[in-house]
Amino acid sequence: RPERTFTPIDFAAWPRRETFYYFSKIAPTSYSLTVDLDATRLFRTLKAANCRLFPAYLWLVTRNLQRQEEFCLAEQDGVLGHYNCLTPLYAAFHEDDKTFSLLWTAYDDEFPAFQAAYLQDKARHGAHHGILGKAGETPPPNAYTVSCVPWVSFRHFAVHSYEKQPYFLPSVEAGKLRPEGAKLLLPLSLTVHHAAAEDLRRLQDVGPAFDRSHDLDEREPAFDERPLLGEILHLDDLDQLHAVSGVEEV
């Protein structure tokens, strides 16, 4: 499990300082992008490993978002900087009163360790009501919102904040898996602060920036050829999922 660190930005020497100032102080703006991912291979991998989709989804999205520092931008004690890792902040739904509580599980580079910690958090805190599911605790400052509404298959989804607070971490939402021919498609939406990532052309660096140990041109393509969200659930990262078997979610 990586130890959380925060690296301040030298604002005077930062090439994005004017862009950041404009979209954080003059015209605060966020924007969203939604794509349909071909999650057929992901679903097949998880089924073979007897794993549930949600903890794998949390791990894969967190693993790949934190590889690009734009998605780790934050303000700490009035200082702008980047975290080295992210913590998924997700919803635990309550069937009895149709409310939800927020839980969080520290990211781990190893999927089996993360899944075990997720299952432990669900077992200990999943039934607790209130907006924060871990009584007496608050989410860490590197926590970002990532959720799923598995009963809704949407074409677009966006999260909007109505408070002018220095929050620059992304929000990610997945929807209901839906069949289309032989494929299973997963709608996935990413909402980012304009001050953190200035345009979609810069966001396209997300895919190529991922650390690859193999040449993808010689392998089966990832879930979506588009470089932005199509590689958040990346083929290379599924190798760890094969190592997990016989684990069922509580």
Side-chain angles (χ1 to χ4, degrees), residues 10-248:
D10 182 354
F11 197 79
W14 192 30
R16 296 194 61 254
R17 63 186 182 277
E18 293 184 4
T19 302
F20 175 84
Y21 182 83
Y22 182 84
F23 287 113
S24 62
K25 305 297 184 183
I26 300 176
T29 308
S30 65
Y31 57 93
S32 303
L33 179 68
T34 302
V35 299
D36 285 333
L37 301 186
D38 182 355
T40 310
R41 188 166 187 179
L42 169 64
F43 188 78
R44 186 168 66 241
T45 299
L46 295 173
K47 185 176 181 180
N50 196 28
C51 293
R52 297 293 299 273
L53 174 62
F54 191 62
Y57 159 71
L58 295 177
W59 183 77
L60 287 166
V61 172
T62 304
R63 180 178 177 84
N64 286 292
L65 284 179
Q66 66 191 17
R67 286 172 170 167
Q68 186 161 323
E69 64 181 16
E70 282 88 342
F71 295 136
C72 302
L73 186 70
E75 189 174 297
Q76 181 175 288
D77 298 326
V79 177
L80 190 68
H82 298 104
Y83 287 110
N84 65 315
C85 60
L86 297 173
T87 296
L89 179 71
Y90 53 91
F93 294 94
H94 306 302
E95 288 294 336
D96 55 353
D97 60 3
K98 308 304 179 184
T99 63
F100 71 89
S101 300
L102 294 174
L103 294 180
W104 54 96
T105 301
Y107 171 80
D108 195 292
D109 287 330
E110 301 298 324
F111 174 69
F114 174 80
Q115 179 175 243
Y118 165 83
L119 294 174
Q120 186 177 68
D121 283 335
K122 286 292 296 293
R124 288 181 176 178
H125 310 289
H128 293 176
H129 287 54
I131 188 61
L132 298 180
K134 296 185 178 182
E137 299 184 40
T138 57
N142 67 333
Y144 78 101
T145 303
V146 52
S147 191
C148 181
V149 283
W151 54 90
V152 178
S153 185
F154 54 77
R155 292 296 182 180
H156 183 65
F157 189 99
V159 178
H160 300 285
S161 174
Y162 293 97
E163 293 291 334
K164 293 183 179 179
Q165 298 184 8
Y167 182 82
F168 305 109
L169 297 177
S171 297
V172 181
E173 189 81 25
K176 181 181 180 180
L177 280 167
R178 71 175 188 275
E180 188 170 293
K183 298 180 179 180
L184 281 176
L185 299 183
L186 178 72
L188 187 67
S189 173
L190 173 68
T191 300
V192 298
H193 199 298
H194 212 319
E198 61 267 27
D199 60 23
L200 292 178
R201 290 172 297 177
R202 182 68 185 98
L203 285 174
Q204 288 177 346
D205 290 343
V206 173
F210 289 167
D211 181 22
R212 300 186 179 102
S213 58
H214 303 85
D215 184 358
L216 290 179
D217 292 337
E218 298 178 359
R219 305 176 64 190
E220 182 173 338
F223 301 121
D224 193 299
E225 293 295 337
R226 287 165 288 184
L228 178 55
L229 296 183
E231 295 191 12
I232 285 181
L233 306 183
H234 199 275
L235 179 62
D236 285 351
D237 295 324
L238 296 186
D239 294 341
Q240 285 204 46
L241 300 183
H242 287 292
V244 183
S245 61
V247 179
E248 293 190 10

